[in-house]
Amino acid sequence: MMLDARTSLNGVWRLDKSRGEPSMKGYLEVMGVTAMAIEAHEKGEKDVETRNNIELSGSKLRIKKTSRVNNLQEEFPIGQEIIKTLMGGGDRQKVTRVDSEGLHHVKITTQMPTMNGKAEVVDIKTLVTEDGGKTVLRQDLTIRNVDTGQTKTTQRWFVPEALTEEIAFDENVDDSADAT
């Protein structure tokens, strides 16, 4: 199958820095990240490609994200709320729910503590077929600071890419989340 003619979100996707809003600056500002840290993040994102490897089925989402600041692999059941206690313990919890309308769509809703309070994040990934039959992934990423009310939506686009060892799933990682 040709890379640019996909029928699902499954596979590797590379951030297309030439369209949409590839910068995460506004998102990080809402989280309360310092200007110096945002500047370092922006510089790093220019130097290193951002990739997502997605494995979506009717019952689970497995995703691996790699970038200058990320090397993260997670797995979530579809339609169930997952609670993870973050470093520092106490009430520092990340609550995630994944919903899907089929293999062409996934919605990841997360509530988590930030530098200045609590944030709600909605990350919607949708398969889009463009003129000529080429398929791309559109990410609509919305963050809302619960305490300040500040909101930012970022639209980013990803293009299909071949699987490499760097973005392949680590099979020896316990990336599963327990439903509560």
Side-chain angles (χ1 to χ4, degrees):
M1 175 170 64
M2 292 181 8
L3 279 179
D4 58 359
R6 294 196 178 164
T7 58
S8 75
L9 292 174
N10 290 318
V12 178
W13 301 91
R14 179 182 43 81
L15 179 64
D16 183 348
K17 297 175 187 175
S18 71
R19 69 190 277 195
E21 187 180 354
S23 171
M24 294 294 289
K25 181 179 179 181
Y27 177 93
L28 296 170
E29 288 172 344
V30 172
M31 283 188 81
V33 176
T34 66
M36 184 180 291
I38 291 172
E39 184 178 331
H41 181 275
E42 292 287 291
K43 187 174 184 179
E45 287 289 297
K46 288 179 184 172
D47 298 338
V48 178
E49 296 292 347
T50 297
R51 292 181 175 87
N52 287 198
N53 187 359
I54 297 173
E55 183 180 279
L56 178 63
S57 70
S59 61
K60 74 173 182 176
L61 167 68
R62 183 162 70 152
I63 187 165
K64 182 172 183 180
K65 302 175 188 179
T66 61
S67 68
R68 172 71 171 87
V69 296
N70 244 343
N71 188 4
L72 174 69
Q73 179 173 313
E74 296 181 294
E75 184 175 314
F76 300 98
I78 302 293
Q80 297 179 43
E81 190 172 90
I82 303 302
I83 300 174
K84 279 190 176 180
T85 300
L86 302 175
M87 287 179 26
D91 63 350
R92 292 185 41 81
Q93 294 183 326
K94 179 179 173 183
V95 180
T96 304
R97 180 183 170 100
V98 175
D99 293 292
S100 177
E101 296 174 2
L103 299 181
H104 66 284
H105 169 272
V106 68
K107 177 182 177 184
I108 307 162
T109 305
T110 306
Q111 297 171 349
M112 62 185 171
T114 66
M115 304 294 279
N116 61 356
K118 189 173 192 172
E120 293 175 347
V121 178
V122 178
D123 179 358
I124 300 173
K125 298 178 190 322
T126 307
L127 189 70
V128 176
T129 302
E130 298 185 315
D131 292 340
K134 179 180 177 182
T135 51
V136 294
L137 183 157
R138 184 185 72 223
Q139 178 188 38
D140 296 296
L141 184 64
T142 302
I143 183 168
R144 184 176 76 86
N145 185 309
V146 174
D147 299 312
T148 67
Q150 187 178 7
T151 300
K152 171 66 178 165
T153 298
T154 303
Q155 187 173 83
R156 304 189 327 156
W157 296 84
F158 290 76
V159 294
E161 188 166 271
L163 179 66
T164 63
E165 187 175 324
E166 173 194 6
I167 191 67
F169 288 110
D170 299 321
E171 298 302 334
N172 295 327
V173 171
D174 180 12
D175 55 8
S176 61
D178 297 323
T180 54

